[in-house]
């Protein structure tokens, strides 16, 4: 394994994270709306607003505030919410668990559907299974996740009464209730994820199935199952893992809408509340955490390449 490459990727990930936090910090300053007035309410006097701006440090220059925030983060202090006066770090830890639960369940569901369907579609291109899978995956990609979520709530919650429409119960308190609340948001995200993954897995497998070494393996008289499991799938895994890594990052960004639709108390909903309240310390904390998670996923995908195909080398 090339440790110089890993070090290079870690430095690049750090630069990307800093760049993202800087851009978001700058955008928050440009967006109309005064956090001090949000804290005090619409009937606050100008003197009160100026006093709270001075106390919160909002009158300081932009770069001074950003560097101060960055220095505090390096010391483990992510600041305090302007609205609730609670520390940002514990709020992020509290909301991270539900987001990981929802994202993990959505990804597992998407893979459980996409992997067999994509492989079968590639093995039998143009067959009835391939046509149906392509049609359904196109619908899954086209339908917005919020609209799919609303339809699922109307059918399974309001019409059939099988599942709760929204809310969240911690797994440690009641596993059955946690699972009941998880199914609809996980299916909403999972269907979209499965639709995208199916198309990419099919494409990756088709590229490999048409390669010369597959034809050679068949010419040797190997059974089709052996050709697929020992020759086609291992060679397609590099492309498939790349798509899965990208899909995980998409899940982190798309989870905002699903969490709002289903009242799921995760990072996405916390970020939306922070934007609406102009609570920039809280928003900066969410952005920093999500950027770090995405960078970690990308690095893990790069490292997986070495395990899948040891012949891969990086300059």
């Amino acid at each position: 394994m090339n440790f110089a490459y890993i070090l290079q990727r870690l430095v690049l990930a750090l630069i990307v994270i800093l760049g993202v936090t800087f851009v978001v910090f700058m955008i928050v300053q440009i967006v109309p709306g005064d956090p001090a007035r949000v804290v005090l309410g619409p009937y606050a006097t100008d003197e009160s607003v100026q006093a709270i701006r001075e106390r919160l440090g909002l009158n300081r220059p932009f770069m001074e505030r950003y560097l101060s925030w960055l220095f505090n983060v390096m010391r483990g202090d992510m600041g305090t919410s302007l609205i609730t006066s609670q520390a940002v770090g514990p709020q992020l830890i509290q909301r991270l668990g539900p987001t990981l639960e929802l994202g993990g369940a959505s990804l597992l569901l998407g893979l459980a559907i996409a992997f067999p369907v994509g492989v079968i579609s590639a093995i039998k291109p143009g067959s009835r299974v391939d046509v149906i899978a392509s049609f359904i995956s196109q619908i899954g990609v086209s339908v917005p996740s919020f609209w799919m979520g609303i339809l699922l709530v109307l059918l399974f919650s309001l019409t059939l009464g099988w599942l709760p429409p929204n809310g969240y119960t911690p797994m440690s308190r009641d596993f059955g209730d946690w699972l009941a609340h998880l199914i609809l948001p996980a299916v909403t995200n999972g269907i979209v994820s499965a639709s995208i993954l199916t198309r990419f897995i099919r494409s990756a497998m088709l590229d490999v199935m048409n390669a010369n070494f597959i034809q050679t393996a068949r010419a040797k008289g190997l059974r089709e199952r052996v050709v697929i499991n020992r020759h086609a799938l291992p060679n397609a895994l590099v492309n498939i893992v790349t798509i899965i890594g990208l899909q995980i990052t998409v899940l982190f960004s798309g989870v905002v809408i699903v969490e709002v639709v289903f009242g799921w108390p995760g990072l996405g909903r916390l970020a939306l509340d922070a934007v609406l309240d102009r609570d920039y310390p809280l928003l900066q904390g969410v952005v920093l955490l999500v950027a770090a998670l995405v960078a970690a996923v990308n690095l893990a995908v790069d490292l997986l390449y070495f395990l899948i195909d040891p012949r891969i080398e990086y300059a």
Side-chain angles (χ1 to χ4, degrees):
M1 187 175 291
N2 192 331
F3 289 99
Y5 174 76
I6 296 175
L7 183 61
Q8 177 187 346
R9 293 285 291 129
L10 286 174
V11 172
L12 182 62
L14 182 61
I15 294 174
V16 170
I17 291 172
L18 289 176
V20 170
T21 58
F22 180 80
V23 170
V24 172
F25 199 91
M26 183 173 60
I27 291 176
V28 169
Q29 311 307 316
I30 298 174
V31 172
D34 189 345
R37 193 165 289 280
V38 173
V39 172
L40 295 176
Y43 302 108
T45 62
D46 292 340
E47 291 77 12
S48 300
V49 172
Q50 285 302 322
I52 200 73
R53 286 183 61 83
E54 189 68 30
R55 184 173 68 82
L56 296 176
L58 298 176
N59 289 328
R60 292 185 296 168
F62 166 76
M63 282 305 298
E64 182 181 337
R65 278 184 288 150
Y66 177 72
L67 293 176
S68 174
W69 173 82
L70 194 60
F71 179 72
N72 289 331
V73 169
M74 293 172 66
R75 295 190 307 163
D77 180 10
M78 303 185 75
T80 304
S81 168
L82 298 180
I83 305 302
T84 63
S85 299
Q86 296 178 347
V88 171
Q91 292 188 68
L92 296 180
I93 294 174
Q94 184 183 9
R95 297 298 188 96
L96 178 61
T99 293
L100 292 180
E101 292 168 4
L102 177 57
S106 303
L107 183 64
L108 289 177
L109 180 63
L111 286 175
I113 297 172
F115 210 87
V117 174
V119 171
I120 293 173
S121 297
I123 294 172
K124 301 177 179 178
S127 65
R128 185 176 300 176
V129 174
D130 183 30
V131 172
I132 294 174
S134 298
F135 177 72
I136 294 177
S137 64
Q138 185 63 46
I139 294 177
V141 173
S142 304
V143 177
S145 57
F146 73 90
W147 182 245
M148 186 175 296
I150 292 173
L151 292 179
L152 291 176
V153 168
L154 288 174
L155 177 60
F156 292 102
S157 298
L158 301 183
T159 304
L160 300 176
W162 290 353
L163 295 168
N166 56 25
Y168 172 78
T169 299
M171 187 192 305
S172 57
R173 184 185 303 169
D174 188 336
F175 179 80
D177 203 39
W178 168 81
L179 186 61
H181 284 91
L182 177 65
I183 290 176
L184 285 184
V187 168
T188 302
N189 259 342
I191 289 176
V192 177
S193 178
S195 302
I196 298 171
L197 287 172
T198 298
R199 298 171 70 85
F200 281 104
I201 291 175
R202 177 184 182 274
S203 176
M205 282 294 294
L206 274 178
D207 289 341
V208 175
M209 295 297 289
N210 293 324
N212 291 333
F213 67 90
I214 294 295
Q215 305 303 324
T216 303
R218 285 172 172 161
K220 288 180 178 178
L222 295 179
R223 289 184 298 178
E224 189 67 14
R225 178 178 300 178
V226 176
V227 172
I228 294 169
N229 291 336
R230 292 188 182 178
H231 298 279
L233 271 178
N235 284 281
L237 270 183
V238 171
N239 290 333
I240 294 174
V241 167
T242 303
I243 299 305
I244 292 174
L246 292 175
Q247 193 57 36
I248 292 175
T249 60
V250 171
L251 281 175
F252 278 124
S253 58
V255 79
V256 176
I257 299 173
V258 176
E259 285 184 357
V260 171
V261 171
F262 291 97
W264 193 263
L267 286 175
R269 193 174 171 192
L270 185 66
L272 179 64
D273 292 339
V275 171
L276 295 177
D277 293 336
R278 305 294 189 272
D279 193 349
Y280 73 84
L282 187 58
L283 179 61
Q284 283 293 113
V286 175
V287 170
L288 176 63
L289 181 57
V290 172
L293 290 173
V294 171
V297 169
N298 289 333
L299 181 61
V301 169
D302 284 349
L303 296 181
L304 274 178
Y305 292 157
F306 292 106
L307 300 178
I308 294 173
D309 190 350
R311 296 170 299 176
I312 295 177
E313 293 183 357
Y314 295 98

